[in-house]
Structure formats: C-alpha cells, structure tokens
Amino acid sequence: MEEMVISAITKGFNILGFTSHAPFPNEESWTMNPESVDLYFHEFYRLKEKYFNDITLYVGLEIDYIPGIGFTDENKKLLPRLDYYIGSVHSLGTVDGNKYYFVDDTPESFSEGISILFENNVQKAVETYYKNIMSLAEIYKPDIIGHIDIIKKNNKNNKFFNENDDWYINAVQKCLKIIKENDCIVELNTGGIIRYGKECMYPSDLILKECKKNNIKVTVNSDAHSVDGMNYHFDEVEKLLLETGYNYIYILSNGNWIKKEIG
Ligand SMILES: [Zn+2]
C-alpha cells in the first residue's frame, strides 16, 4: 500500500482511494482473507497520517454481489468503516456453495460455468449477470458499479456471444436504467486493457454512449494491481469521454461525490 501511495504522489495524484477486494465466502486468490481486513484498515490509517501533507487517501473495498446471496453479512458489517466502495459481480454462480464460477476466470472455466449453471445457454448466463448487477444497484446502491461489462472479458472475436445482438443491448439498457434510478456511478476501468488488451476496456463504447444518453454519472478507475498501472490510459479515456459528450467525471471529495470538469 505504501508503494502505491508513494507512486501516486510521484505521479502527481492529489487523491488516492484503495478498494482491495473484500473477502469472498470461499477464499479466492484475488480476495482478502478475513484475517487481513483489520490489518488493511490499520495500514491505511498509518499511511493516511504519514502522507497527510502530500495526498488525500480514502479507504474503500470492492465488494462482490454474490448471486442469490448479495453481500455476505461479514462484508455488510464493514460498510460503515468505508469512505466509499465499489460493488461488482464476478460470480456466475455456484452449484453447491463450494465451487464458484467467475465471469473473468479462464475461457475454459467460464465455459464450464455456463454449461453447468445455465445448461450451456450463454444468453441466459449473460442476462443473469446483468440482472445481478441490477439487484446490486437496487439493494445496496454502491457508490460505484465495478467494470460493468467484465462478462465480455473472454469474449474476444465474439467467442461466446455478440455484443451487438438486440438481446445483449436490451439487457444492458435495462441494467443502466436501474443504475440511473439508484444514482450509482459507472466507472471507466482501464485495468483490463493493461492486463488483457484493448478489448477489455470497461465499459465498451456502446455502453458508454448508452450511459451518456441516460445521463449516468461516470468516474475513471485504473483498477491498478501494481504501481505501473495507476494512471494507465487516463489521457485516452479523457479523450473518449469528451468525444462521448461527457465533460466531467465524478470524484470523491470530503465525503461527497462532486463533478470535476475535464478537458
Ligand atoms: Zn473486480
């Protein structure tokens, strides 16, 4: 965490938020284990104080909406300790609570999940993913909806579905309507591009345009897993936003999400 803070200061950030991944029922390689949660807050407050004069730090989490469960009780208890949080859906579901399938796992595992949980019906799997995001927005109203179309991570060259199909666009539009009603912010997430290539910019151009039509609030997040990616692609994203008609993003300032002009 300290490495990230120092890098942010060097790169000229005024504000930095941490959103490590909250614990998941079955500990996954990419989630914090429950024992680390207190350490996370402890280290955060040490850094906040140490670098007080150089940068404003906010503490958050990325919390999974688990199909059929929502947030775990343990994660719900953490909400009051956060400055903000990202709500995400990574899971396609589980058969028996032991093994979860994830939308952003390997293509083989994604395919297996669709086969086992949705009888190989890709459309049903994708529509269910967006329905879960709708429930996430409706029930919990997270500040930010994480990487809204990460379901396309394994979909290079339309391997699993076609993002221009009417059913897909319908599913997205219904989802955005609920996001708007619940006043959540959609993030432009550049973490996928640095890790998996330009097709993994979240959201797609099409969805970003739909966001603009609905006047949905947006922000920019590098979803950085290391110091290298902290401001990855930010200039390009600013251009993209301006081209789409957004001349502002939302940023957190003293507990409120406020408009910040760009360009
Ligand atoms: Zn995520």
Side-chain angles (χ1 to χ4, degrees):
M1 285 170 86
E2 186 153 18
E3 215 182 298
M4 297 297 258
V5 172
I6 292 167
S7 175
I9 295 167
T10 312
K11 290 184 168 89
F13 282 44
N14 304 314
I15 305 172
L16 178 70
F18 283 96
T19 48
S20 284
H21 208 289
F24 197 84
N26 295 352
E27 222 172 276
E28 303 289 337
S29 59
W30 42 277
T31 58
M32 245 192 274
N33 58 43
E35 299 76 47
S36 303
V37 170
D38 280 335
L39 277 172
Y40 173 65
F41 285 106
H42 189 267
E43 178 64 357
F44 170 81
Y45 283 105
R46 185 184 76 83
L47 297 172
K48 187 180 166 91
E49 205 178 302
K50 181 169 173 186
Y51 294 99
F52 178 77
N53 289 317
D54 306 303
I55 193 163
T56 302
L57 298 180
Y58 293 125
V59 68
L61 284 169
E62 181 183 2
I63 307 178
D64 249 79
Y65 178 92
I66 301 163
I69 296 176
F71 290 174
T72 61
D73 288 341
E74 289 76 14
N75 285 342
K76 275 187 224 160
K77 280 183 210 141
L78 299 175
L79 295 177
R81 298 171 74 179
L82 305 173
D83 294 319
Y84 75 109
Y85 72 96
I86 299 173
S88 297
V89 175
H90 293 91
S91 173
L92 272 177
T94 177
V95 179
D96 52 9
N98 285 317
K99 181 183 169 31
Y100 280 85
Y101 288 97
F102 297 101
V103 295
D104 56 339
D105 205 337
T106 61
E108 294 73 29
S109 166
F110 181 57
S111 178
E112 193 181 309
I114 294 170
S115 153
I116 289 178
L117 300 168
F118 300 97
E119 295 163 330
N120 247 337
N121 186 335
V122 178
Q123 180 176 339
K124 183 124 187 273
V126 175
E127 285 171 347
T128 303
Y129 166 81
Y130 281 109
K131 275 187 194 149
N132 282 321
I133 296 188
M134 287 157 73
S135 302
L136 161 68
E138 248 173 347
I139 299 170
Y140 299 102
K141 307 181 200 322
D143 301 280
I144 299 171
I145 300 289
H147 42 60
I148 186 167
D149 56 346
I150 197 170
I151 185 106
K152 73 175 182 201
K153 184 188 155 191
N154 284 306
N155 199 39
K156 250 179 216 171
N157 303 318
N158 293 332
K159 191 171 174 200
F160 289 92
F161 55 94
N162 189 333
E163 289 168 52
N164 292 310
D165 275 355
D166 286 348
W167 68 263
Y168 183 81
I169 296 169
N170 276 339
V172 168
Q173 282 171 334
K174 274 190 205 155
C175 182
L176 291 179
K177 190 172 167 275
I178 299 296
I179 288 174
K180 172 69 186 174
E181 276 170 27
N182 290 281
D183 203 25
C184 301
I185 299 168
V186 167
E187 62 167 13
L188 279 83
N189 181 315
T190 63
I193 321 174
I194 195 170
R195 292 190 281 275
Y196 315 109
K198 63 173 178 5
E199 297 86 355
C200 289
M201 166 77 202
Y202 314 120
S204 64
D205 286 354
L206 188 148
I207 297 181
L208 184 62
K209 282 186 189 126
E210 289 294 320
C211 287
K212 183 67 191 86
K213 269 192 222 159
N214 289 284
N215 267 319
I216 289 173
K217 294 174 178 175
V218 291
T219 192
V220 181
N221 176 18
S222 61
D223 196 352
H225 292 184
S226 72
V227 294
D228 302 328
M230 287 183 84
N231 55 358
Y232 183 73
H233 222 64
F234 277 13
D235 292 343
E236 290 86 342
V237 163
E238 184 170 311
K239 249 180 73 187
L240 174 67
L241 280 167
L242 292 168
E243 280 165 18
T244 314
Y246 279 106
N247 54 4
Y248 56 87
I249 58 168
Y250 274 78
I251 64 162
L252 186 60
S253 172
N254 297 318
N256 296 305
W257 288 95
I258 58 164
K259 254 187 189 180
K260 183 182 186 295
E261 278 191 35
I262 57 169

